Amino acid sequence: MRKGLLLTAASVALVGSLTACGGASSSSADGSGSDSGGKKPKIGVILPDSKSSARWETADRKYLSEAFKAAGVDYDIQNAQGDKQQFQTIADQMITNGVNVLVIVNLDSGTGKAVLDKAKAQGVATIDYDRLTLGGSAQYYVSFDNSAVGKLQGEGLSKCLSDMKATKPVIATLNGSPTDNNAALFAKGYNGVLDPKYKSGDYVKGPDQSVPDWDNAQAGTIFEQMLTSQPKIAGVLAANDGLGNAAIAVLRKQNRNGQVPVTGQDATVQGLQNILAGDQCMTVYKAVKKEADATAELAVSLAKGQKGQTNATVHDPEGDRDVPSVLETPVAVFKDNVKDVVADGFVSKDELCTGTYAALCTKAGIK
């Protein structure tokens, strides 16, 4: 694992198949403290920020709210906006206000563990959402196969370089936050694709750096420094759309946008527009609605004192435990299948196909 990334990554063992709305094999935690005692279940959700990715507010909040409303439960969704102290304060308030289940997207494993342990001590059931809290005590984990996400990024960059007939391209890597276990899993996936190419000499390993807190402004500064040290960078493995856009902005200043393939993740409107414009090679679409629906289903089950259904276990190496999990499947998105993300309802044509992007959308078959 690269310097700046967590040295341990959760290993995933699929044990069956299950859609986000329930289904086959079952593996559950003890459900302690989740019996609502006849009262209407109440579920608390803490989102991490709105700066690292637009998805937390535009997608996750929306889909979780819809799922909880459909289930007829009370819920409270708040965003810590990247503030670890605020994250803990929100958790304390939710526990005091009587949530039966607490769902968190940790800012780092240390803060996440403290919150999860406090909830457990108060008899509140817990779920790690999207990010596994290493050494934590969450009863369930719901996410995507994050190593597979990274693998799609590595394969996507390789495809774009091949399409451009690049010869021994120098690759720069903008990894995600070193405090996010998912960043380690993404890196595990794309390193598995790129490392053999470095070893064979097909690619040249260039600057490689993690971006603290997934901060896009810092990513831009870091990438400018990368280009200064290695002007011949010919490909950028960026761990999400925000980091990718930061790199594209720097390349645009040098009139090199569209000439250097850049990856991404999250299928944000900005990322998809960059793909349509030819400035971004690809992104990874994660159907957040499936993730949110699976989380809501587990949370409601726990709040009612019932067992939840899972399709995987994920090993937490720091806690040395296997966490019952639901893992969804990510999808690589290139220019020719941006239309599928729109058709799926993840983004709308109105928000994507504005201004100069209208003609590009028509050309890409987006209806």
Side-chain angles (χ1 to χ4, degrees):
M1 197 60 62
R2 302 184 181 193
K3 183 178 180 182
L5 289 173
L6 296 175
L7 297 178
T8 56
S11 60
V12 176
L14 293 181
V15 295
S17 61
L18 173 72
T19 66
C21 294
S25 61
S26 174
S27 173
S28 64
D30 61 13
S32 60
S34 59
D35 189 344
S36 62
K39 297 180 181 179
K40 190 175 184 180
K42 185 174 183 179
I43 298 163
V45 179
I46 310 177
L47 300 175
D49 58 56
S50 56
K51 186 170 71 170
S52 65
S53 177
R55 63 164 284 192
W56 301 118
E57 288 297 328
T58 62
D60 296 86
R61 179 185 289 274
K62 170 187 173 184
Y63 293 130
L64 286 166
S65 296
E66 290 174 353
F68 290 138
K69 285 178 182 177
V73 298
D74 289 335
Y75 64 94
D76 181 11
I77 301 175
Q78 296 191 45
N79 194 314
Q81 297 298 351
D83 186 324
K84 296 176 185 178
Q85 184 59 51
Q86 181 66 7
F87 190 97
Q88 293 178 310
T89 298
I90 292 171
D92 289 343
Q93 291 172 344
M94 288 182 172
I95 293 170
T96 299
N97 290 336
V99 296
N100 306 105
V101 182
L102 182 63
V103 179
I104 72 166
V105 187
N106 73 60
L107 289 172
D108 63 17
S109 286
T111 305
K113 182 180 187 305
V115 165
L116 292 170
D117 288 349
K118 183 174 291 186
K120 182 179 180 180
Q122 296 295 317
V124 176
T126 52
I127 298 173
D128 268 333
Y129 181 65
D130 199 72
R131 298 171 182 168
L132 181 67
T133 301
L134 297 178
S137 56
Q139 294 167 242
Y140 287 94
Y141 172 50
V142 183
S143 189
F144 287 80
D145 184 338
N146 291 309
S147 292
V149 170
K151 185 171 184 286
L152 290 177
Q153 291 173 319
E155 291 173 344
L157 182 61
S158 295
K159 176 184 182 301
C160 293
L161 288 167
S162 178
D163 290 346
M164 296 174 72
K165 295 180 171 53
T167 303
K168 296 186 182 302
V170 177
I171 309 301
T173 304
L174 289 169
N175 303 293
S177 174
T179 61
D180 182 356
N181 185 59
N182 281 0
L185 297 175
F186 302 147
K188 178 183 178 182
Y190 53 70
N191 288 343
V193 175
L194 299 178
D195 283 348
K197 293 184 180 293
Y198 297 143
K199 187 175 181 179
S200 68
D202 292 335
Y203 293 175
V204 177
K205 183 175 180 179
D208 182 336
Q209 193 167 336
S210 296
V211 179
D213 300 321
W214 295 92
D215 187 274
N216 298 330
Q218 288 193 61
T221 300
I222 289 169
F223 187 66
E224 282 187 316
Q225 294 168 347
M226 287 180 169
L227 269 181
T228 299
S229 67
Q230 180 51 274
K232 293 185 178 180
I233 288 172
V236 182
L237 194 301
N240 76 356
D241 287 348
L243 305 187
N245 188 66
I248 290 167
V250 175
L251 291 168
R252 190 174 287 120
K253 293 177 184 177
Q254 300 188 6
N255 295 317
R256 294 183 64 193
N257 54 303
Q259 301 173 31
V260 178
V262 179
T263 66
Q265 179 187 175
D266 290 335
T268 61
V269 169
Q270 184 179 64
L272 295 173
Q273 288 176 336
N274 282 337
I275 291 173
L276 291 172
D279 292 341
Q280 185 167 324
C281 158
M282 58 84 69
T283 188
V284 179
Y285 170 44
K286 300 186 295 187
V288 175
K289 186 177 189 306
K290 292 183 179 180
E291 184 182 23
D293 286 348
T295 300
E297 182 177 358
L298 280 175
V300 172
S301 294
L302 286 174
K304 294 180 178 179
Q306 300 169 355
K307 294 182 178 180
Q309 295 179 319
T310 63
N311 67 353
T313 58
V314 171
H315 185 68
D316 171 7
E318 289 193 15
D320 192 23
R321 69 189 188 105
D322 293 324
V323 185
S325 306
V326 176
L327 299 182
E328 301 295 342
T329 303
V331 177
V333 175
F334 299 86
K335 188 178 293 186
D336 61 0
N337 65 329
V338 168
K339 61 181 180 291
D340 295 340
V341 181
V342 178
D344 206 28
F346 186 71
V347 300
S348 71
K349 180 181 177 181
D350 288 344
E351 61 184 339
L352 179 65
C353 305
T354 59
T356 58
Y357 297 103
L360 295 174
C361 282
T362 299
K363 188 175 180 180
I366 297 171
K367 300 178 180 179

